[in-house]
Amino acid sequence: MITRLTVALAACAFLGLTGNPVAGAEADTAVDVRANTLVQRMGDCLGQAKFFSVDAEIWQDIESSSGRRIQADRTVTLQVRRPDRLHAEVHSPRRNRELIYDGSALTLFNQMENFYGTVHTSGPLDEAMDVASERFGIDMPLEDFIRSDPHKDLLQKATSGVDIGPVTVLGVACEHLAFTQENIDWQIWIENGARPVPRKFVITYKDEPNSPQFTAIFSKWDFTTTLPNFVFEFEPPTGAVKIKVKEMKAQLQSNKPESKKSEAK
């Protein structure tokens, strides 16, 4: 499942760059062989990892109540243990949230207002993220990189893709790739070497006025520190109030920015 904040494909505005096309999820896609291979390597790295953690700094164009275009920022910390554990923290100047999945229940905790909602569910992470979207009305932070097959999720609607070439992201040598789909363009910078993790991710929303962007910068990738069970256990803090999931969903929907991008990403 490709969501607004996690898929998208960068339009090849680089008309002089060409490559051999490969078939994607759609029969008429034209994704450069090398671009496809690099995303596949990244997807295998993340999808086959038994556990990992990562931080991301996110910048997103939104329209303020006065009509000004501004950049809103937030940080995301992800701790993933396959097949069925996730702990995500999202922090911004306005709200702090935790999303925790322990294999039997999915909990969303609003730290600033000290309330939480829980949905009982089981199954692998892909299914839990679908439940989060359906029951809470949110998307998991950067969910395409959490799912079991990131390559499939990212490229399933791609109409073209190209390898732009080598660059550095915060001093890390990467390969810059760009893809396009019907309403969204996206770019990804994948680290060169034995650990092909994403270092930067940019989405351009072509179907919105002035084509706003979403940017994520990844850091502190960790595939060696084990993640014990307590990382994925939720203990309500003192005074925390449990509310019905439908009430939490209504609050989340009412607090979303006017831009149609998901605040939970």
Side-chain angles (χ1 to χ4, degrees), residues 39-104:
V39 175
Q40 180 71 69
R41 287 187 68 235
M42 181 202 71
D44 290 346
C45 176
L46 299 181
Q48 295 174 12
K50 294 182 178 180
F51 55 83
F52 66 83
S53 58
V54 64
D55 291 346
E57 185 171 340
I58 294 173
W59 297 88
Q60 185 172 342
D61 293 338
I62 63 171
E63 187 172 316
S64 69
S65 57
S66 64
R68 292 187 180 91
R69 170 68 62 82
I70 61 174
Q71 280 196 328
D73 71 294
R74 58 190 178 278
T75 59
V76 174
T77 297
L78 297 176
Q79 295 171 300
V80 176
R81 196 180 79 189
R82 302 192 187 282
D84 57 2
R85 297 290 191 276
L86 173 71
H87 187 174
E89 293 191 40
V90 182
H91 297 280
S92 74
R94 293 189 301 160
R95 51 181 66 98
N96 297 314
R97 295 174 181 156
E98 285 186 75
L99 193 60
I100 302 168
Y101 180 51
D102 65 3
S104 62

Short mmCIF file of all heavy atoms in Angstrom, two decimals, residues 39-104:
data_model
loop_
_atom_site.label_atom_id
_atom_site.label_comp_id
_atom_site.label_asym_id
_atom_site.label_seq_id
_atom_site.Cartn_x
_atom_site.Cartn_y
_atom_site.Cartn_z
N VAL A 39 16.47 0.04 -5.57
CA VAL A 39 15.31 0.02 -4.66
C VAL A 39 15.07 -1.40 -4.15
O VAL A 39 14.71 -1.60 -2.99
CB VAL A 39 14.05 0.58 -5.35
CG1 VAL A 39 12.83 0.45 -4.44
CG2 VAL A 39 14.25 2.05 -5.72
N GLN A 40 15.29 -2.39 -5.02
CA GLN A 40 15.15 -3.78 -4.59
C GLN A 40 16.16 -4.13 -3.50
O GLN A 40 15.82 -4.77 -2.49
CB GLN A 40 15.35 -4.71 -5.78
CG GLN A 40 15.22 -6.20 -5.44
CD GLN A 40 13.80 -6.60 -5.15
OE1 GLN A 40 12.97 -6.61 -6.05
NE2 GLN A 40 13.50 -6.93 -3.89
N ARG A 41 17.41 -3.68 -3.66
CA ARG A 41 18.43 -3.93 -2.63
C ARG A 41 18.05 -3.28 -1.32
O ARG A 41 18.19 -3.88 -0.25
CB ARG A 41 19.80 -3.41 -3.09
CG ARG A 41 20.47 -4.23 -4.18
CD ARG A 41 21.89 -3.72 -4.43
NE ARG A 41 22.76 -4.00 -3.29
CZ ARG A 41 23.47 -3.09 -2.65
NH1 ARG A 41 23.43 -1.82 -3.02
NH2 ARG A 41 24.24 -3.43 -1.62
N MET A 42 17.58 -2.04 -1.39
CA MET A 42 17.14 -1.36 -0.18
C MET A 42 15.97 -2.10 0.46
O MET A 42 15.93 -2.31 1.68
CB MET A 42 16.73 0.08 -0.50
CG MET A 42 16.28 0.87 0.72
SD MET A 42 15.23 2.29 0.30
CE MET A 42 13.72 1.43 -0.20
N GLY A 43 14.99 -2.50 -0.38
CA GLY A 43 13.83 -3.21 0.14
C GLY A 43 14.21 -4.53 0.81
O GLY A 43 13.66 -4.88 1.86
N ASP A 44 15.17 -5.25 0.21
CA ASP A 44 15.63 -6.50 0.81
C ASP A 44 16.32 -6.23 2.14
O ASP A 44 16.15 -6.98 3.12
CB ASP A 44 16.59 -7.22 -0.14
CG ASP A 44 15.89 -7.77 -1.37
OD1 ASP A 44 14.65 -7.85 -1.38
OD2 ASP A 44 16.61 -8.12 -2.34
N CYS A 45 17.13 -5.19 2.18
CA CYS A 45 17.85 -4.84 3.41
C CYS A 45 16.87 -4.59 4.55
O CYS A 45 17.05 -5.10 5.67
CB CYS A 45 18.73 -3.62 3.16
SG CYS A 45 19.58 -2.99 4.63
N LEU A 46 15.83 -3.81 4.30
CA LEU A 46 14.87 -3.47 5.36
C LEU A 46 13.88 -4.59 5.61
O LEU A 46 13.57 -4.91 6.76
CB LEU A 46 14.12 -2.19 4.97
CG LEU A 46 14.96 -0.92 4.78
CD1 LEU A 46 14.07 0.26 4.43
CD2 LEU A 46 15.77 -0.62 6.04
N GLY A 47 13.37 -5.20 4.53
CA GLY A 47 12.35 -6.22 4.68
C GLY A 47 12.86 -7.50 5.31
O GLY A 47 12.11 -8.21 5.98
N GLN A 48 14.15 -7.82 5.11
CA GLN A 48 14.71 -9.05 5.64
C GLN A 48 15.38 -8.85 7.00
O GLN A 48 15.75 -9.84 7.65
CB GLN A 48 15.70 -9.63 4.64
CG GLN A 48 15.06 -10.06 3.33
CD GLN A 48 16.06 -10.51 2.29
OE1 GLN A 48 17.25 -10.72 2.59
NE2 GLN A 48 15.63 -10.64 1.05
N ALA A 49 15.51 -7.61 7.43
CA ALA A 49 16.12 -7.34 8.74
C ALA A 49 15.18 -7.82 9.85
O ALA A 49 13.99 -7.53 9.84
CB ALA A 49 16.40 -5.85 8.90
N LYS A 50 15.71 -8.56 10.80
CA LYS A 50 14.89 -9.04 11.91
C LYS A 50 14.47 -7.90 12.82
O LYS A 50 13.39 -7.93 13.42
CB LYS A 50 15.65 -10.11 12.70
CG LYS A 50 15.90 -11.39 11.91
CD LYS A 50 16.61 -12.42 12.76
CE LYS A 50 16.82 -13.72 11.97
NZ LYS A 50 17.52 -14.75 12.80
N PHE A 51 15.33 -6.88 12.92
CA PHE A 51 14.99 -5.70 13.73
C PHE A 51 15.86 -4.55 13.28
O PHE A 51 16.94 -4.73 12.72
CB PHE A 51 15.19 -5.98 15.22
CG PHE A 51 16.57 -6.48 15.58
CD1 PHE A 51 17.63 -5.60 15.78
CD2 PHE A 51 16.80 -7.84 15.71
CE1 PHE A 51 18.89 -6.06 16.09
CE2 PHE A 51 18.07 -8.31 16.03
CZ PHE A 51 19.12 -7.42 16.22
N PHE A 52 15.37 -3.33 13.52
CA PHE A 52 16.18 -2.13 13.27
C PHE A 52 15.52 -0.94 13.95
O PHE A 52 14.34 -0.97 14.32
CB PHE A 52 16.37 -1.86 11.77
CG PHE A 52 15.11 -1.50 11.01
CD1 PHE A 52 14.62 -0.19 11.01
CD2 PHE A 52 14.42 -2.46 10.28
CE1 PHE A 52 13.47 0.14 10.30
CE2 PHE A 52 13.28 -2.14 9.57
CZ PHE A 52 12.80 -0.83 9.58
N SER A 53 16.30 0.10 14.12
CA SER A 53 15.79 1.38 14.61
C SER A 53 16.40 2.49 13.78
O SER A 53 17.48 2.33 13.19
CB SER A 53 16.10 1.58 16.10
OG SER A 53 17.49 1.52 16.34
N VAL A 54 15.69 3.63 13.70
CA VAL A 54 16.15 4.75 12.89
C VAL A 54 15.46 6.02 13.36
O VAL A 54 14.34 5.98 13.90
CB VAL A 54 15.85 4.50 11.39
CG1 VAL A 54 14.36 4.43 11.13
CG2 VAL A 54 16.52 5.55 10.51
N ASP A 55 16.13 7.13 13.19
CA ASP A 55 15.54 8.45 13.43
C ASP A 55 15.32 9.14 12.09
O ASP A 55 16.07 8.91 11.13
CB ASP A 55 16.46 9.32 14.29
CG ASP A 55 16.56 8.83 15.73
OD1 ASP A 55 15.74 7.98 16.12
OD2 ASP A 55 17.48 9.28 16.44
N ALA A 56 14.32 9.98 12.04
CA ALA A 56 14.07 10.78 10.83
C ALA A 56 13.64 12.18 11.23
O ALA A 56 12.84 12.35 12.15
CB ALA A 56 13.01 10.13 9.95
N GLU A 57 14.19 13.16 10.53
CA GLU A 57 13.75 14.55 10.69
C GLU A 57 12.92 14.89 9.45
O GLU A 57 13.37 14.71 8.32
CB GLU A 57 14.93 15.49 10.81
CG GLU A 57 14.53 16.94 11.08
CD GLU A 57 15.71 17.82 11.42
OE1 GLU A 57 16.77 17.28 11.81
OE2 GLU A 57 15.58 19.05 11.28
N ILE A 58 11.70 15.36 9.69
CA ILE A 58 10.75 15.56 8.61
C ILE A 58 10.38 17.03 8.49
O ILE A 58 10.10 17.70 9.49
CB ILE A 58 9.48 14.71 8.84
CG1 ILE A 58 9.85 13.22 8.75
CG2 ILE A 58 8.38 15.06 7.85
CD1 ILE A 58 8.73 12.29 9.13
N TRP A 59 10.39 17.50 7.25
CA TRP A 59 9.96 18.86 6.93
C TRP A 59 8.84 18.76 5.89
O TRP A 59 8.96 18.06 4.91
CB TRP A 59 11.13 19.68 6.37
CG TRP A 59 12.23 19.85 7.36
CD1 TRP A 59 13.28 19.01 7.59
CD2 TRP A 59 12.37 20.92 8.30
NE1 TRP A 59 14.08 19.48 8.60
CE2 TRP A 59 13.54 20.66 9.06
CE3 TRP A 59 11.63 22.07 8.58
CZ2 TRP A 59 13.97 21.50 10.07
CZ3 TRP A 59 12.07 22.91 9.58
CH2 TRP A 59 13.23 22.64 10.32
N GLN A 60 7.77 19.49 6.15
CA GLN A 60 6.59 19.38 5.30
C GLN A 60 5.99 20.76 5.02
O GLN A 60 5.77 21.55 5.94
CB GLN A 60 5.55 18.49 5.98
CG GLN A 60 4.34 18.19 5.14
CD GLN A 60 3.46 17.15 5.82
OE1 GLN A 60 3.92 16.44 6.72
NE2 GLN A 60 2.21 17.07 5.42
N ASP A 61 5.76 21.06 3.76
CA ASP A 61 5.13 22.32 3.38
C ASP A 61 3.65 22.27 3.74
O ASP A 61 2.93 21.34 3.35
CB ASP A 61 5.24 22.56 1.88
CG ASP A 61 6.67 22.80 1.43
OD1 ASP A 61 7.50 23.19 2.27
OD2 ASP A 61 6.96 22.60 0.24
N ILE A 62 3.17 23.28 4.48
CA ILE A 62 1.75 23.39 4.78
C ILE A 62 1.33 24.85 4.61
O ILE A 62 2.17 25.75 4.52
CB ILE A 62 1.42 22.93 6.22
CG1 ILE A 62 2.11 23.83 7.27
CG2 ILE A 62 1.81 21.48 6.43
CD1 ILE A 62 1.65 23.55 8.68
N GLU A 63 0.04 25.05 4.56
CA GLU A 63 -0.49 26.40 4.46
C GLU A 63 -1.03 26.83 5.81
O GLU A 63 -1.86 26.14 6.40
CB GLU A 63 -1.61 26.45 3.41
CG GLU A 63 -2.11 27.87 3.13
CD GLU A 63 -3.08 27.92 1.96
OE1 GLU A 63 -2.79 27.27 0.93
OE2 GLU A 63 -4.11 28.59 2.09
N SER A 64 -0.54 27.95 6.34
CA SER A 64 -0.98 28.43 7.64
C SER A 64 -2.37 29.03 7.53
O SER A 64 -2.91 29.23 6.44
CB SER A 64 0.00 29.47 8.17
OG SER A 64 -0.06 30.66 7.39
N SER A 65 -2.97 29.34 8.68
CA SER A 65 -4.31 29.92 8.70
C SER A 65 -4.35 31.28 8.01
O SER A 65 -5.40 31.71 7.53
CB SER A 65 -4.80 30.05 10.15
OG SER A 65 -3.89 30.83 10.91
N SER A 66 -3.19 31.95 7.92
CA SER A 66 -3.13 33.24 7.24
C SER A 66 -2.91 33.11 5.74
O SER A 66 -2.86 34.11 5.03
CB SER A 66 -2.00 34.09 7.85
OG SER A 66 -0.75 33.47 7.62
N GLY A 67 -2.75 31.87 5.28
CA GLY A 67 -2.55 31.64 3.86
C GLY A 67 -1.09 31.57 3.44
O GLY A 67 -0.79 31.41 2.26
N ARG A 68 -0.17 31.69 4.40
CA ARG A 68 1.25 31.63 4.07
C ARG A 68 1.70 30.18 3.92
O ARG A 68 1.25 29.30 4.64
CB ARG A 68 2.10 32.28 5.17
CG ARG A 68 1.93 33.79 5.29
CD ARG A 68 2.93 34.35 6.29
NE ARG A 68 2.80 35.79 6.43
CZ ARG A 68 2.02 36.38 7.31
NH1 ARG A 68 1.28 35.65 8.13
NH2 ARG A 68 1.95 37.70 7.38
N ARG A 69 2.61 29.94 3.00
CA ARG A 69 3.25 28.64 2.86
C ARG A 69 4.41 28.59 3.84
O ARG A 69 5.34 29.41 3.78
CB ARG A 69 3.75 28.44 1.43
CG ARG A 69 4.65 27.23 1.23
CD ARG A 69 3.93 25.91 1.40
NE ARG A 69 2.88 25.76 0.41
CZ ARG A 69 3.09 25.35 -0.85
NH1 ARG A 69 4.31 25.03 -1.26
NH2 ARG A 69 2.09 25.23 -1.69
N ILE A 70 4.38 27.62 4.76
CA ILE A 70 5.44 27.47 5.75
C ILE A 70 5.87 26.01 5.79
O ILE A 70 5.19 25.13 5.28
CB ILE A 70 4.99 27.92 7.16
CG1 ILE A 70 3.81 27.05 7.64
CG2 ILE A 70 4.61 29.39 7.17
CD1 ILE A 70 3.41 27.32 9.07
N GLN A 71 7.03 25.77 6.40
CA GLN A 71 7.50 24.41 6.60
C GLN A 71 7.30 24.02 8.05
O GLN A 71 7.78 24.68 8.97
CB GLN A 71 8.98 24.29 6.24
CG GLN A 71 9.24 24.16 4.75
CD GLN A 71 10.64 23.65 4.48
OE1 GLN A 71 11.58 23.90 5.23
NE2 GLN A 71 10.81 22.92 3.38
N ALA A 72 6.56 22.94 8.25
CA ALA A 72 6.37 22.38 9.59
C ALA A 72 7.37 21.24 9.76
O ALA A 72 7.65 20.50 8.81
CB ALA A 72 4.95 21.87 9.76
N ASP A 73 7.91 21.11 10.96
CA ASP A 73 8.91 20.06 11.18
C ASP A 73 8.47 19.15 12.32
O ASP A 73 7.71 19.53 13.21
CB ASP A 73 10.28 20.66 11.49
CG ASP A 73 10.32 21.30 12.86
OD1 ASP A 73 9.62 22.31 13.06
OD2 ASP A 73 11.04 20.78 13.74
N ARG A 74 8.96 17.93 12.26
CA ARG A 74 8.75 16.98 13.34
C ARG A 74 9.86 15.93 13.24
O ARG A 74 10.51 15.78 12.20
CB ARG A 74 7.37 16.33 13.29
CG ARG A 74 7.05 15.59 12.01
CD ARG A 74 5.57 15.22 12.03
NE ARG A 74 5.12 14.56 10.83
CZ ARG A 74 4.78 15.19 9.70
NH1 ARG A 74 4.88 16.50 9.62
NH2 ARG A 74 4.34 14.50 8.66
N THR A 75 10.07 15.20 14.32
CA THR A 75 11.03 14.11 14.32
C THR A 75 10.29 12.80 14.57
O THR A 75 9.28 12.76 15.27
CB THR A 75 12.10 14.32 15.41
OG1 THR A 75 11.46 14.40 16.69
CG2 THR A 75 12.90 15.59 15.14
N VAL A 76 10.80 11.76 13.97
CA VAL A 76 10.21 10.43 14.11
C VAL A 76 11.31 9.46 14.53
O VAL A 76 12.41 9.48 13.97
CB VAL A 76 9.58 9.96 12.78
CG1 VAL A 76 9.09 8.51 12.90
CG2 VAL A 76 8.44 10.87 12.37
N THR A 77 11.02 8.64 15.52
CA THR A 77 11.90 7.55 15.91
C THR A 77 11.14 6.25 15.72
O THR A 77 10.04 6.08 16.24
CB THR A 77 12.34 7.68 17.38
OG1 THR A 77 13.10 8.87 17.54
CG2 THR A 77 13.20 6.48 17.79
N LEU A 78 11.73 5.33 14.95
CA LEU A 78 11.10 4.05 14.68
C LEU A 78 11.94 2.92 15.27
O LEU A 78 13.16 2.90 15.12
CB LEU A 78 10.97 3.81 13.18
CG LEU A 78 10.08 4.78 12.37
CD1 LEU A 78 10.16 4.43 10.89
CD2 LEU A 78 8.64 4.72 12.85
N GLN A 79 11.28 1.99 15.94
CA GLN A 79 11.91 0.75 16.40
C GLN A 79 11.05 -0.40 15.88
O GLN A 79 9.86 -0.49 16.21
CB GLN A 79 12.00 0.73 17.92
CG GLN A 79 12.93 1.81 18.48
CD GLN A 79 12.86 1.92 19.99
OE1 GLN A 79 11.80 2.20 20.54
NE2 GLN A 79 13.98 1.69 20.66
N VAL A 80 11.64 -1.23 15.05
CA VAL A 80 10.90 -2.29 14.36
C VAL A 80 11.53 -3.63 14.69
O VAL A 80 12.75 -3.80 14.63
CB VAL A 80 10.95 -2.06 12.83
CG1 VAL A 80 10.26 -3.21 12.09
CG2 VAL A 80 10.31 -0.73 12.46
N ARG A 81 10.67 -4.59 15.04
CA ARG A 81 11.12 -5.97 15.21
C ARG A 81 10.12 -6.88 14.50
O ARG A 81 8.95 -6.93 14.88
CB ARG A 81 11.21 -6.36 16.69
CG ARG A 81 12.03 -7.64 16.93
CD ARG A 81 12.10 -7.99 18.39
NE ARG A 81 10.89 -8.65 18.86
CZ ARG A 81 10.64 -8.90 20.14
NH1 ARG A 81 11.48 -8.51 21.09
NH2 ARG A 81 9.51 -9.52 20.50
N ARG A 82 10.59 -7.50 13.47
CA ARG A 82 9.69 -8.35 12.68
C ARG A 82 9.49 -9.70 13.39
O ARG A 82 10.36 -10.14 14.12
CB ARG A 82 10.28 -8.55 11.27
CG ARG A 82 10.51 -7.24 10.53
CD ARG A 82 10.80 -7.45 9.05
NE ARG A 82 11.17 -6.22 8.41
CZ ARG A 82 10.30 -5.27 8.04
NH1 ARG A 82 9.01 -5.46 8.27
NH2 ARG A 82 10.72 -4.15 7.46
N PRO A 83 8.31 -10.30 13.23
CA PRO A 83 7.28 -9.92 12.26
C PRO A 83 6.19 -8.98 12.77
O PRO A 83 5.40 -8.47 11.99
CB PRO A 83 6.65 -11.28 11.91
CG PRO A 83 6.72 -12.04 13.20
CD PRO A 83 8.03 -11.64 13.83
N ASP A 84 6.15 -8.70 14.10
CA ASP A 84 4.94 -8.08 14.63
C ASP A 84 5.19 -7.14 15.81
O ASP A 84 4.41 -7.12 16.78
CB ASP A 84 3.93 -9.15 15.04
CG ASP A 84 4.49 -10.13 16.07
OD1 ASP A 84 5.66 -9.96 16.48
OD2 ASP A 84 3.76 -11.07 16.45
N ARG A 85 6.24 -6.34 15.74
CA ARG A 85 6.49 -5.37 16.81
C ARG A 85 6.88 -4.03 16.20
O ARG A 85 7.68 -3.96 15.26
CB ARG A 85 7.62 -5.83 17.74
CG ARG A 85 7.34 -7.12 18.51
CD ARG A 85 6.29 -6.93 19.58
NE ARG A 85 6.19 -8.06 20.47
CZ ARG A 85 5.49 -9.17 20.23
NH1 ARG A 85 4.82 -9.27 19.08
NH2 ARG A 85 5.45 -10.17 21.10
N LEU A 86 6.32 -2.95 16.76
CA LEU A 86 6.64 -1.60 16.31
C LEU A 86 6.46 -0.61 17.44
O LEU A 86 5.49 -0.67 18.20
CB LEU A 86 5.72 -1.18 15.15
CG LEU A 86 5.85 0.29 14.70
CD1 LEU A 86 7.19 0.50 13.97
CD2 LEU A 86 4.69 0.69 13.80
N HIS A 87 7.41 0.30 17.56
CA HIS A 87 7.29 1.45 18.47
C HIS A 87 7.71 2.69 17.69
O HIS A 87 8.84 2.80 17.25
CB HIS A 87 8.19 1.27 19.69
CG HIS A 87 8.00 2.32 20.73
ND1 HIS A 87 8.63 2.29 21.96
CD2 HIS A 87 7.24 3.46 20.76
CE1 HIS A 87 8.28 3.34 22.68
NE2 HIS A 87 7.45 4.07 21.96
N ALA A 88 6.76 3.59 17.50
CA ALA A 88 7.03 4.83 16.75
C ALA A 88 6.73 6.02 17.64
O ALA A 88 5.69 6.06 18.31
CB ALA A 88 6.18 4.88 15.48
N GLU A 89 7.63 6.98 17.66
CA GLU A 89 7.40 8.24 18.39
C GLU A 89 7.49 9.39 17.40
O GLU A 89 8.43 9.46 16.60
CB GLU A 89 8.43 8.42 19.50
CG GLU A 89 8.31 7.41 20.63
CD GLU A 89 9.15 7.78 21.83
OE1 GLU A 89 9.20 8.99 22.17
OE2 GLU A 89 9.77 6.88 22.42
N VAL A 90 6.52 10.29 17.48
CA VAL A 90 6.47 11.47 16.61
C VAL A 90 6.43 12.69 17.51
O VAL A 90 5.53 12.82 18.35
CB VAL A 90 5.24 11.43 15.69
CG1 VAL A 90 5.25 12.65 14.77
CG2 VAL A 90 5.21 10.15 14.87
N HIS A 91 7.40 13.58 17.33
CA HIS A 91 7.48 14.78 18.17
C HIS A 91 7.51 16.03 17.29
O HIS A 91 8.23 16.10 16.30
CB HIS A 91 8.74 14.75 19.03
CG HIS A 91 8.79 13.61 20.00
ND1 HIS A 91 8.12 13.63 21.19
CD2 HIS A 91 9.43 12.42 19.94
CE1 HIS A 91 8.33 12.49 21.84
NE2 HIS A 91 9.13 11.74 21.09
N SER A 92 6.69 17.00 17.67
CA SER A 92 6.67 18.30 17.00
C SER A 92 6.37 19.36 18.04
O SER A 92 6.01 19.04 19.18
CB SER A 92 5.61 18.30 15.89
OG SER A 92 4.31 18.39 16.44
N PRO A 93 6.50 20.65 17.68
CA PRO A 93 6.21 21.70 18.66
C PRO A 93 4.77 21.67 19.17
O PRO A 93 4.48 22.13 20.27
CB PRO A 93 6.48 22.99 17.88
CG PRO A 93 7.47 22.59 16.84
CD PRO A 93 7.09 21.20 16.44
N ARG A 94 3.86 21.11 18.38
CA ARG A 94 2.45 21.13 18.76
C ARG A 94 1.94 19.83 19.37
O ARG A 94 0.98 19.84 20.14
CB ARG A 94 1.58 21.47 17.54
CG ARG A 94 1.76 22.88 17.01
CD ARG A 94 0.72 23.18 15.97
NE ARG A 94 0.79 22.24 14.86
CZ ARG A 94 -0.20 22.01 14.01
NH1 ARG A 94 -1.36 22.61 14.19
NH2 ARG A 94 -0.03 21.17 13.01
N ARG A 95 2.53 18.70 19.02
CA ARG A 95 2.01 17.45 19.55
C ARG A 95 3.08 16.37 19.58
O ARG A 95 3.99 16.36 18.75
CB ARG A 95 0.80 16.98 18.74
CG ARG A 95 1.01 16.93 17.24
CD ARG A 95 -0.28 16.48 16.55
NE ARG A 95 -1.32 17.46 16.73
CZ ARG A 95 -1.63 18.38 15.81
NH1 ARG A 95 -0.98 18.43 14.67
NH2 ARG A 95 -2.59 19.24 16.04
N ASN A 96 2.95 15.49 20.56
CA ASN A 96 3.84 14.35 20.71
C ASN A 96 2.99 13.10 20.83
O ASN A 96 2.07 13.03 21.66
CB ASN A 96 4.71 14.50 21.97
CG ASN A 96 5.62 15.70 21.89
OD1 ASN A 96 6.27 15.94 20.88
ND2 ASN A 96 5.68 16.48 22.97
N ARG A 97 3.31 12.10 20.01
CA ARG A 97 2.51 10.88 20.00
C ARG A 97 3.39 9.65 19.97
O ARG A 97 4.51 9.70 19.46
CB ARG A 97 1.57 10.85 18.79
CG ARG A 97 0.51 11.93 18.79
CD ARG A 97 -0.26 11.92 17.50
NE ARG A 97 -1.27 12.98 17.47
CZ ARG A 97 -1.78 13.51 16.37
NH1 ARG A 97 -1.35 13.09 15.20
NH2 ARG A 97 -2.69 14.45 16.44
N GLU A 98 2.85 8.57 20.48
CA GLU A 98 3.49 7.26 20.39
C GLU A 98 2.51 6.29 19.76
O GLU A 98 1.31 6.32 20.06
CB GLU A 98 3.89 6.74 21.76
CG GLU A 98 5.09 7.39 22.37
CD GLU A 98 5.51 6.71 23.66
OE1 GLU A 98 6.09 5.60 23.60
OE2 GLU A 98 5.24 7.28 24.73
N LEU A 99 3.02 5.42 18.92
CA LEU A 99 2.24 4.36 18.32
C LEU A 99 2.97 3.06 18.62
O LEU A 99 4.14 2.90 18.26
CB LEU A 99 2.12 4.56 16.82
CG LEU A 99 1.09 3.73 16.06
CD1 LEU A 99 -0.32 4.00 16.58
CD2 LEU A 99 1.14 4.06 14.58
N ILE A 100 2.29 2.14 19.31
CA ILE A 100 2.95 0.94 19.81
C ILE A 100 2.14 -0.29 19.39
O ILE A 100 0.91 -0.34 19.60
CB ILE A 100 3.07 0.97 21.35
CG1 ILE A 100 3.86 2.21 21.78
CG2 ILE A 100 3.74 -0.29 21.87
CD1 ILE A 100 3.77 2.49 23.27
N TYR A 101 2.82 -1.25 18.82
CA TYR A 101 2.19 -2.51 18.46
C TYR A 101 2.99 -3.64 19.09
O TYR A 101 4.19 -3.78 18.83
CB TYR A 101 2.15 -2.68 16.94
CG TYR A 101 1.51 -3.97 16.48
CD1 TYR A 101 0.26 -4.36 16.96
CD2 TYR A 101 2.16 -4.80 15.57
CE1 TYR A 101 -0.32 -5.55 16.55
CE2 TYR A 101 1.58 -5.98 15.15
CZ TYR A 101 0.34 -6.35 15.64
OH TYR A 101 -0.25 -7.53 15.22
N ASP A 102 2.32 -4.45 19.92
CA ASP A 102 3.01 -5.53 20.64
C ASP A 102 2.67 -6.92 20.13
O ASP A 102 2.97 -7.92 20.78
CB ASP A 102 2.72 -5.43 22.14
CG ASP A 102 1.24 -5.66 22.47
OD1 ASP A 102 0.45 -5.95 21.55
OD2 ASP A 102 0.89 -5.54 23.66
N GLY A 103 2.03 -7.00 18.97
CA GLY A 103 1.65 -8.28 18.42
C GLY A 103 0.24 -8.70 18.75
O GLY A 103 -0.31 -9.61 18.12
N SER A 104 -0.37 -8.02 19.75
CA SER A 104 -1.75 -8.35 20.12
C SER A 104 -2.64 -7.12 20.25
O SER A 104 -3.86 -7.24 20.25
CB SER A 104 -1.78 -9.11 21.45
OG SER A 104 -1.25 -8.31 22.50
#
